[in-house]
Amino acid sequence: LESTVLCGGRDGIVRVWSLRQHPPKLEGGHKSGGSIRSLCCLDGDGSSLKAVSSDGLQVDYWDVGRAATIERRAFEKRSIVDLCPVALGYGPGGAFEAGRCARQLVVLGERVLSVVDARGPPTLTAAEWPLSFSGDREVVESSSPLGERVVSPVNARATSCCCSPDGAWVATASDQGHIVVTDRRAGRYRTSFRAHGAGVVCVKAASRHEIFTVASDGSAALWRLTGSIPKPVCVLRGLPNYGSGLRSSNVSINACMKPKPALQVLVARGHKAVSLALPLGKSTPLNPIDCSRRLFVDVHGQRIPRGHLNVEACASLPARRVVL
């Protein structure tokens, strides 16, 4: 819902804010374990908004309107790194219930990828794959245009995941700069490649055949997955990575089809932000872009200095609005 924003805190509470008025109004909250590490929304059953949150140890599927838990699933001996919803369709485990209430969820651990039904029994897992990042058993040198570095990714750990708009594949990122793309329906790996010289903090699906990756060194890239070897369509440098560095919550993207297919990118961290549009569907690489970091201004048009603003998360809304 465009008028509702969910915000997860370190106190384990997910707060529900209404954007129908200014300033935003706090409408409720839901206690979801420890410090919130991952949060996303599902369409629910059409009657109310559903959400999924995780504190790294368990996944909580709950009703936003009633602030009540529907199902809580614990993953023993596993740290949950990230989670993301899967589009409707067929996949491992067979066809799920028809209608808007059928939803699958990707749950990412440090070395394993699971697909579960958000409304299914807590003990049921539709599919599960161990993650093997590129070059796991040897010292490799990055062939990425975003930095050369010799690393031993034997200890690589997953950091972020995303699912394609049609639910066909799942992309997983590692703290050593790797990307692994898994075919969700066939249950096999599509490709594995090294995307960055630094660890990847965020991977997001830009289209059915493109992903957007952001690294901890402030670089980013739009990758095209068609062909035998994924290729970078556009490389960004100079993203704001103040304080403890960039995280997945600092990145927001929206794909727009009119007037031309483009990816609207917003990256905000600390007291600065970068906003730009990248063309989608291109096969010819573009020239690298050095990003211009912008300062925020207050209601009087004055720049907000460092120390007066510390953006930890952002989200793009319609009508060129932003939630920080």
Side-chain angles (χ1 to χ4, degrees):
L1 300 176
E2 298 173 358
S3 59
T4 302
V5 170
L6 305 184
C7 181
R10 295 185 178 93
D11 56 1
I13 299 177
V14 179
R15 291 171 173 82
V16 182
W17 294 88
S18 173
L19 303 181
R20 294 186 179 92
Q21 59 189 32
H22 186 78
K25 179 183 177 182
L26 181 63
E27 291 192 333
H30 176 71
K31 179 64 176 178
S32 184
S35 178
I36 304 300
R37 297 181 58 177
S38 302
L39 176 65
C40 65
C41 291
L42 304 179
D43 286 345
D45 54 8
S47 60
S48 62
L49 184 66
K50 302 296 190 298
V52 179
S53 53
S54 172
D55 60 357
L57 299 175
Q58 61 185 9
V59 174
D60 196 9
Y61 175 57
W62 51 285
D63 188 296
V64 175
R66 296 186 295 112
T69 296
I70 300 174
E71 194 70 62
R72 183 165 290 172
R73 181 191 301 257
F75 288 78
E76 297 181 359
K77 300 180 181 179
R78 184 189 307 179
S79 175
I80 301 173
V81 177
D82 196 10
L83 50 84
C84 66
V86 180
L88 285 173
Y90 292 88
F96 288 96
E97 185 180 354
R100 296 186 62 197
C101 55
R103 278 295 180 272
Q104 287 182 330
L105 191 71
V106 173
V107 180
L108 177 65
E110 291 182 345
R111 301 286 293 188
V112 66
L113 183 69
S114 303
V115 178
V116 301
D117 185 5
R119 300 190 65 214
T123 58
L124 178 62
T125 300
E128 191 168 277
W129 300 276
L131 287 173
S132 178
F133 294 103
S134 178
D136 256 1
R137 296 176 178 84
E138 60 185 10
V139 176
V140 298
E141 184 173 356
S142 170
S143 59
S144 165
L146 297 170
E148 299 293 334
R149 189 174 64 137
V150 178
V151 299
S152 178
V154 66
N155 296 319
R157 294 292 182 268
T159 57
S160 178
C161 67
C162 69
C163 187
S164 65
D166 59 354
W169 50 258
V170 178
T172 308
S174 84
D175 59 359
Q176 297 290 343
H178 303 93
I179 297 293
V180 173
V181 181
T182 305
D183 192 312
R184 183 185 66 89
R185 293 167 180 165
R188 62 172 181 267
Y189 295 109
R190 282 192 178 186
T191 184
S192 178
F193 64 99
R194 187 161 171 77
H196 292 264
V200 180
V201 298
C202 176
V203 57
K204 292 183 180 291
S207 68
R208 290 179 57 193
H209 306 294
E210 292 163 303
I211 59 173
F212 183 72
T213 60
V214 179
S216 58
D217 60 359
S219 63
L222 178 64
W223 297 84
R224 187 160 183 83
L225 301 179
T226 55
S228 57
I229 301 177
K231 297 181 179 179
V233 176
C234 185
V235 174
L236 309 180
R237 296 188 177 94
L239 297 177
N241 57 345
Y242 301 99
S244 58
L246 284 168
R247 297 191 297 266
S248 179
S249 59
N250 300 124
V251 183
S252 177
I253 65 171
N254 280 319
C256 304
M257 296 296 107
K258 295 181 180 181
K260 293 182 179 180
L263 184 69
Q264 302 291 334
V265 178
L266 171 67
V267 181
R269 177 65 178 165
H271 66 299
K272 290 187 178 181
V274 166
S275 178
L276 72 165
L278 302 177
L280 292 175
K282 298 288 185 180
S283 57
T284 304
L286 305 176
N287 293 328
I289 299 176
D290 292 322
C291 299
S292 176
R293 289 174 281 193
R294 300 181 180 180
L295 289 167
F296 290 92
V297 297
D298 57 22
V299 293
H300 304 292
Q302 301 297 318
R303 292 182 177 180
I304 303 177
R306 187 172 187 173
H308 291 243
L309 178 66
N310 183 24
V311 178
E312 294 192 358
C314 66
S316 300
L317 300 177
R320 306 181 73 174
R321 295 180 299 169
V322 174
V323 174
L324 303 174

